[in-house]
Each structure stands twice: as structure tokens, then as C-alpha cells.
Amino acid sequence: MHHTEASHTPHPPARPLRIFIHTGEVSGDLQGGLLVDALERQSLERGQSVEITAMGGERMAAAGAKLIGDTVSVSSIGLFEALPHALAALKLNRRAQQHLKDVPPDVVILIDYMGPNVAIGKFVRRQFPQLPIVYYIAPHLWVWATIPGDTEKILAIADRILAIFPGEARYYQDKGGQVSWVGHPLLDRFADYRPETAKQSARQHLGLGQTDLVVTLLPASRQQELTYVLPIIFTAAQQIQAQMPQVRFLVPLAREAFRSPLETALKAYGLNGCVVAKADQMLAISAADLAISKSGTTNLEIALMEVPQVVMYRLNRITAWVAEYVLKFSAAYVSPVNLVNMEPVVPEFVQWEATPEALSQVALNLLNSPDQRQKMVEGYRRMRQSLGTVGVCDRAAQEILNLASSKAARPA
């Protein structure tokens, strides 16, 4: 693993550097937005101009990327879950290919989102053999390399892997990849975060009392999770409310389109609480005494805010059966919080173990035990130490700009 210092291009190209980013999912869009900010900041320091186009979502667009297509809305996990989105995903893939042909970039950045990113990477390799491809946040094959050949697919398309987890960096380097460990980008986002003051101000902003008992529920960022994850989490919330009637539930939106189904579900389950606007998601977590969340990048955000949490995930039964018995899928942990040091910092319940009773019991134990909550916070702090140092997005941007500049400086 190596860290590369910024090497300023002596003669920046007359035209702007063209950067194309391809990702999907709410988390990829979040990381892409943070990266776009850093690319613009670093290019300004170098006196270079950049044109950033992307397949992603609204966070990247808000950061200044020109969105070619919205991939977040078609994101899913699992074979059967992907079927309803297959045609839309194919159309988006073709749109991305056409854009690359029309306006060839100086560098392509792939963020997570394995299947569609491998497809785009293969296209770029065929169509533009000299075009550098950076894989930023490579798929978690270092945790669950299940399907033979998956790792080779990543290495075949990536000229450089910018790794955010230490285990990710070691895995891809050991397999022969060109790897830089930049650290985890969420460190930048929470560099100045102070849990106690943040909790007080978040409660004030949301109209909550400082002594209220608040539990934040994060059931869905993908459509399928409204079907498979939400009922488990909301039933667990019912059981918590039966034991602690004074509890208030906050349900922040990952996507605005989920407002109606979440508001309907809150009423149907008889939960005392409200849906919180997407813009206030971080406040809804900061304000909480406990979060119950589906597995994903949000777990790391919750941990960096030092809010105790319970994690779960559930797929369609058929998908889960295929994963377990056909693909022999197994992983010691699924939550990113536990993956950093491969230790059980947060309780996690997956598939058959993810029952409302299991979630509510652990949640009630945490709510009633200051010692357990403190032990989890200590685990969060150990994890944070292993995520690197602040300045992650700028380090990643420097590497990308170096590659783009060297490509742009070559004769056509």
C-alpha cells in the first residue's frame, strides 16, 4: 500500500480535465458527492479546471457533477430483487456507454456497485484501452469473495484501487492490484463532530426535550427494503413501545419517494413518532438514544456519531436460500462497523436470525444499561482509530487528478 503526494502538472491542459464517475445506491451517491467536492477543491488549488459527469444520484448532482442518469433509483441487492429494475438498468448502462463515446473522459472512477461497474469497466477497457480506471471503494470481496472470478474481474478493469478499509487494501494488494489506502471518507464528514453538543442541538432543532427517550429507525434506502426489512424493524419498535410507552420514534428519509409508505407504516404499526426529512437525517441520528438500522454505510455514520445501535438485514427468502446453499455465501460480519477490525462492536442479526424479538430484546437491554452503551461507544472509538486520518477525500482526489492529468498530457 502506498500514499501518493500530489504532483502538480507543470503545464495543465488547455481544456478542462474530464472526469466520469459511475456508481449507484444511496451510499455510493453519498461517497460520490464527497469525492466531487474534493475533486473541485483540489483542481482549484492546482489551477486546473474539471468537468465532472456522473451516473449516480442527487448528492453528486448537488455537489456539482452533471448527472447523465439516475442509478440510485434502480439499485437493489439479490437476484430476484434486481429483476424489476433490469430493463431500466440496461437502458442506463447504454446511456453511460453512449456518453463515454461522445465525450471520452481523461479518467473513469467506479464507486462500489459491483455488477454495473464491472460492465462499464469492461466496456471502457474494450473501447478505450489507454483510459485509466480508478476503483474507489472496491466491492467487499475481501469479506465475502463467493463467486469464483469476481476478484479477477475487479483487477482486470482497475488501474488503481483506492481502498477505504485496511482489510480491503491488504486483500487487493495481495491479489496483485495497484492499491492506495486513503482511509474512510466519512472521517472527513465527522472531523469536527462533538456527540454531546450535537445531541442537544439536534433535539432542540427537532423540537424534542433533552430528557425524551428517542429511538431512530433506519429501515430502507432501497425499494426492496420496504418489503423485507421495514416490517421487522417496525414490529421490534412496537415491542419496545409496549415496554417503554414514553419512547418517541424518528424515521429519517433516505429517499423522498419513501415518505408516503413510511408515514403509512408508522400509523399502521401504531408507533409514536414521525418521519423526518432527508435533509435532517443526521439530526435524527444525533438526537437518538439508540438507532435500529439496516446494514450499510449508515451504520458507520451512526458509529461516528457515537449513538448506540442494533443492526439487521433481510433478503427475499429465495435469494437468501440461493446465497447460503448454492453460492455458499458466508461472512463473519455484515455491518461495516464490525468489518473494520473484524470484531463485534455492534449486535447484528441477518436473515433468519433477524426477528423482531431478537432486535427488541437487545435494544431494550441497551436502553436500560448505561454500561452496555458505554462499551459500544468504546468499540466505536477503537474502530475510528483504524479508519485512517482526516483528509481522505482530498487524498483520493489528488490521486485521481494525477492520473487524469497524465492521460490528458499524452498525445491523442
Side-chain angles (χ1 to χ4, degrees), residues 155-296:
L155 295 175
I157 60 173
D159 295 294
R160 179 72 51 81
I161 291 172
L162 302 182
I164 65 171
F165 290 101
E168 173 194 358
R170 285 191 296 270
Y171 175 83
Y172 285 105
Q173 188 180 48
D174 289 347
K175 297 290 184 181
Q178 291 293 311
V179 181
S180 296
W181 178 51
V182 291
H184 201 289
L186 289 183
L187 284 179
D188 294 354
R189 198 175 188 207
F190 295 101
D192 300 317
Y193 186 86
R194 299 293 175 268
E196 281 309 312
T197 52
K199 184 174 186 175
Q200 289 170 10
S201 60
R203 288 189 168 209
Q204 195 171 0
H205 182 89
L206 296 170
L208 298 164
Q210 294 301 327
T211 58
D212 287 355
L213 179 64
V214 179
V215 174
T216 295
L217 310 176
L218 298 122
S221 62
R222 305 178 185 91
Q223 187 71 37
Q224 72 194 68
E225 290 158 356
L226 294 174
T227 303
Y228 301 116
V229 174
L230 182 147
I232 308 296
I233 289 181
F234 275 30
T235 304
Q238 276 182 326
Q239 294 172 3
I240 294 167
Q241 187 171 279
Q243 296 291 320
M244 308 179 89
Q246 75 276 32
V247 70
R248 291 280 306 277
F249 294 105
L250 302 179
V251 187
L253 293 170
R255 289 164 57 183
E256 186 57 42
F258 291 172
R259 180 180 290 277
S260 179
L262 287 172
E263 286 178 344
T264 301
L266 266 178
K267 286 178 188 165
Y269 284 83
L271 298 178
N272 175 26
C274 62
V275 169
V276 177
K278 182 177 179 179
D280 289 337
Q281 183 184 53
M282 295 300 103
L283 291 174
I285 296 169
S286 286
D289 296 298
L290 176 77
I292 304 177
S293 175
K294 62 138 190 149
S295 178

Side-chain angles (χ1 to χ4, degrees), residues 23 37-38 46 84 119 154 346 366 391:
T23 189
D37 283 336
R46 294 171 179 231
I154 301 297
V346 297
L366 279 164

Side-chain angles (χ1 to χ4, degrees), residues 26-104:
V26 169
S27 60
D29 185 37
L30 164 65
Q31 307 297 10
L34 295 172
L35 183 62
V36 170
D37 283 336
L39 285 165
E40 292 182 341
R41 191 164 55 244
Q42 289 298 317
S43 62
L44 193 64
E45 281 196 15
R46 294 171 179 231
Q48 292 175 329
S49 57
V50 290
E51 285 178 1
I52 303 173
T53 56
M55 301 291 285
E58 59 190 48
R59 286 181 187 267
M60 294 169 73
K66 180 185 175 187
L67 216 59
I68 306 302
D70 179 1
T71 49
V72 172
S73 58
V74 300
S75 302
S76 58
I77 290 181
L79 307 169
F80 298 96
E81 290 84 349
L83 289 174
H85 305 296
L87 185 59
L90 183 62
K91 286 180 179 176
L92 285 168
N93 181 271
R94 287 179 177 160
R95 190 182 303 173
Q97 291 186 14
Q98 191 58 52
H99 170 72
L100 288 164
K101 286 179 182 176
D102 292 345
V103 191

